[in-house]
């Protein structure tokens, strides 16, 4: 018997594509807990994964064929949590079927495919959101509001995302049992074959989107990269279009606890944010220093279920015609361009690369 009875007058009926790791860990449970979402259907090529997830979450419909789920008239929106190379092709199919789309980050693997799907969503009148869940971190949301209201002219942004050598020991303890299957559909080749490419796409997405969230558009980047044994590290200099400067540190994996956060300097104050491994479901601890009052404020920020919160925001945008509080298609494309610019800069000896000039794929 289901115990999470929802009292919203209207719920968004979703179909989830993929019963693999990210949907097991984030979006199946997130959609089940969300106040304004009903998990109507799931779909996966693997019979084993379909049956296991159906037994746990009890959707009304279970599909092997993606086209059949898209043809289900009860499905209002699709949540896509499959391999990166499938993001935009699957989103395109859903949009052509008239469904709203939530797609996991990164938005895709090339600028052109992302732009094509964005345009298609606009033409079809459906909503497309990208799963950059750190925008739903209560601590970071508080810090952003403080920055916009109290900090005056912003001069400097420092951001860091440093995965830890102990990451999997931690996640094995706190995450649910995750299932895999040989029947699961996999992209061509091995996405992990070139690790500097794989880590930049997967982890760099978070680092850049947080910078965009706080600071707005990036004008150009200059990046350096070093790899020794199993440690990969990027240092990225950033010029923001608002005139501020910044540095970004992406390191995989450091001999330390998970180390992530940002620091922002302005003429009216300073923000410092410490962000935890997302699977701890802890909001960032932030200190907001107000120069005018000489006081530091720190929000309690109890709700660290970012994945549920971002799906609720997705549903609110559709059901209540609210402004999107998450990452739009434009935001997803900006992150893709920044990642590609970083890769190009590294491979051109650290040259400055303008984001506006970036094309192609990572």
């Amino acid at each position: 018997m289901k115990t999470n009875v929802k009292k919203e007058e209207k719920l968004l009926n979703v179909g989830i594509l993929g019963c693999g790791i990210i949907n097991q860990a984030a979006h199946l449970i997130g959609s089940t807990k969300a106040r304004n979402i009903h998990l109507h259907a799931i779909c996966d090529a693997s019979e084993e994964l379909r049956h296991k997830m159906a037994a746990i979450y009890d959707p009304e419909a279970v599909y092997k064929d993606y086209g059949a789920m898209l043809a289900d008239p009860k499905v209002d929106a699709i949540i896509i949590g499959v391999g990166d190379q499938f993001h935009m092709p699957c989103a395109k199919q859903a949009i052509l079927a008239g469904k709203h789309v939530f797609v996991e980050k990164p938005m895709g693997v090339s600028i052109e495919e992302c732009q094509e799907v964005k345009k298609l969503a606009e033409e079809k009148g459906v909503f497309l959101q990208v799963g950059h869940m750190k925008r739903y971190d209560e601590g970071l949301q508080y810090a952003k509001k403080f920055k916009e209201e109290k900090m005056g002219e912003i001069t400097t942004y420092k951001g860091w995302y440093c995965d830890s050598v102990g990451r999997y020991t931690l996640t094995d303890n706190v995450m649910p049992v995750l299932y895999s299957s040989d029947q699961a559909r996999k992209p061509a080749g091995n996405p992990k074959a070139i690790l500097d490419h794989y880590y930049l796409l997967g982890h760099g997405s978070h680092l850049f989107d947080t910078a965009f969230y706080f600071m707005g558009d990036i004008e150009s980047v200059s990046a350096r990269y070093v790899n020794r044994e199993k440690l990969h590290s990027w240092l990225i200099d950033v010029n923001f279009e608002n005139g501020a400067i910044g540095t970004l540190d992406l390191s995989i994996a450091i001999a330390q606890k998970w180390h992530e956060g940002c620091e922002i300097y302005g003429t009216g104050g300073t923000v410092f944010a410490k962000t935890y491994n997302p699977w701890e479901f802890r909001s960032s601890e932030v200190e907001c220093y107000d120069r005018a009052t000489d006081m530091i404020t720190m929000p309690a920020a109890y709700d660290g279920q970012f994945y549920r919160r971002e799906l609720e925001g997705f549903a609110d945008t559709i059901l209540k015609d609210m402004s999107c509080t998450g990452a739009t298609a434009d935001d997803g494309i900006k992150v893709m361009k920044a990642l590609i610019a970083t890769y190009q800069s590294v491979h051109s000896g650290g040259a400055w690369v303008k984001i506006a000039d970036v094309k192609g794929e990572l």
Side-chain angles (χ1 to χ4, degrees):
M1 181 180 69
K2 292 184 178 180
T3 58
N4 60 321
V5 178
K6 300 176 183 180
K7 298 179 181 180
E8 289 274 320
E9 291 185 5
K10 189 174 182 181
L11 301 176
L12 186 72
N13 287 318
V14 303
I16 291 186
L17 175 62
C19 292
I21 299 301
I22 185 59
N23 280 337
Q24 288 179 44
H27 301 312
L28 284 161
I29 187 66
S31 61
T32 304
K33 288 188 172 185
R35 58 177 163 76
N36 52 5
I37 285 178
H38 171 63
L39 176 58
H40 172 73
I42 62 174
C43 177
D44 198 283
S46 166
E47 180 178 8
E48 179 183 13
L49 291 180
R50 287 198 312 274
H51 286 178
K52 284 182 177 178
M53 294 307 108
I56 295 171
Y57 293 102
D58 192 25
E60 294 176 32
V62 179
Y63 294 100
K64 177 181 180 180
D65 180 69
Y66 184 39
M69 184 167 74
L70 291 177
D72 187 333
K74 292 185 179 180
V75 173
D76 302 315
I78 300 294
I79 297 171
I80 297 173
V82 292
D84 300 343
Q85 291 78 5
F86 301 135
H87 284 183
M88 288 297 94
C90 291
K92 183 176 181 179
Q93 285 181 260
I95 291 167
L96 288 172
K99 311 297 185 183
H100 303 286
V101 173
F102 177 96
V103 60
E104 250 303 324
K105 64 83 192 166
M107 186 175 175
V109 294
S110 80
I111 300 301
E112 289 73 22
E113 68 171 353
C114 294
Q115 291 173 330
E116 177 191 1
V117 171
K118 171 185 175 290
K119 181 179 178 181
L120 183 63
E122 292 169 347
E123 291 173 350
K124 295 294 183 180
V126 298
F127 178 56
L128 171 62
Q129 182 171 323
V130 183
H132 288 289
M133 91 297 183
K134 293 184 187 293
R135 293 177 179 240
Y136 290 90
D137 181 316
E138 275 193 312
L140 298 184
Q141 289 177 335
Y142 180 91
K144 180 177 172 64
K145 186 173 186 292
F146 177 87
K147 173 248 175 188
E148 292 173 349
E149 295 178 354
K150 303 287 188 180
M151 286 181 59
E153 185 177 1
I154 306 303
T155 64
T156 314
Y157 178 90
K158 300 177 183 179
W160 51 92
Y161 183 106
C162 304
D163 203 346
S164 165
V165 294
R167 180 238 183 114
Y168 292 105
T169 300
L170 170 66
T171 56
D172 283 348
N173 288 334
V174 299
M175 293 175 76
V177 175
L178 301 176
Y179 299 94
S180 60
S181 171
D182 293 336
Q183 299 171 347
R185 187 181 175 196
K186 296 179 175 61
N190 178 12
K192 298 183 181 181
I194 306 174
L195 283 176
D196 65 326
H197 179 284
Y198 176 75
Y199 287 148
L200 186 60
L201 189 62
H203 299 294
S205 294
H206 289 303
L207 181 66
F208 270 109
D209 186 67
T210 303
F212 279 115
Y213 177 63
F214 279 112
M215 299 293 293
D217 290 349
I218 294 172
E219 189 270 335
S220 57
V221 302
S222 170
R224 292 170 291 155
Y225 165 76
V226 65
N227 166 223
R228 297 291 184 271
E229 297 181 9
K230 295 182 179 181
L231 177 59
H232 301 255
S233 187
W234 290 258
L235 290 180
I236 308 162
D237 290 322
V238 177
N239 288 326
F240 293 97
E241 289 193 356
N242 62 11
I245 59 175
T247 61
L248 303 177
D249 170 8
L250 175 66
S251 296
I252 318 294
I254 62 171
Q256 186 185 356
K257 291 182 178 180
W258 185 277
H259 185 61
E260 183 182 357
C262 64
E263 196 161 18
I264 310 170
Y265 306 148
T267 56
T270 298
V271 160
F272 175 82
K274 178 181 179 180
T275 299
Y276 296 93
N277 184 307
W279 305 113
E280 292 187 61
F281 293 107
R282 297 170 65 185
S283 297
S284 294
E285 291 183 0
V286 303
E287 297 180 359
C288 299
Y289 171 77
D290 186 344
R291 184 172 185 175
T293 61
D294 205 26
M295 296 289 290
I296 293 175
T297 56
M298 300 177 64
Y302 298 114
D303 187 359
Q305 227 306 353
F306 324 108
Y307 300 101
R308 189 206 81 246
R309 289 168 58 84
E310 69 177 345
L311 292 180
E312 289 176 341
F314 173 65
D316 278 341
T317 303
I318 296 164
L319 296 174
K320 298 181 180 180
D321 196 26
M322 296 174 61
S323 296
C324 177
T325 54
T328 64
D330 281 330
D331 295 319
I333 291 171
K334 289 175 185 177
V335 170
M336 289 296 302
K337 286 187 173 184
L339 293 171
I340 295 171
T342 299
Y343 197 79
Q344 291 177 350
S345 178
V346 166
H347 289 274
S348 59
W352 283 94
V353 178
K354 290 187 175 181
I355 301 296
D357 295 339
V358 170
K359 298 178 181 179
E361 64 182 49
L362 183 59

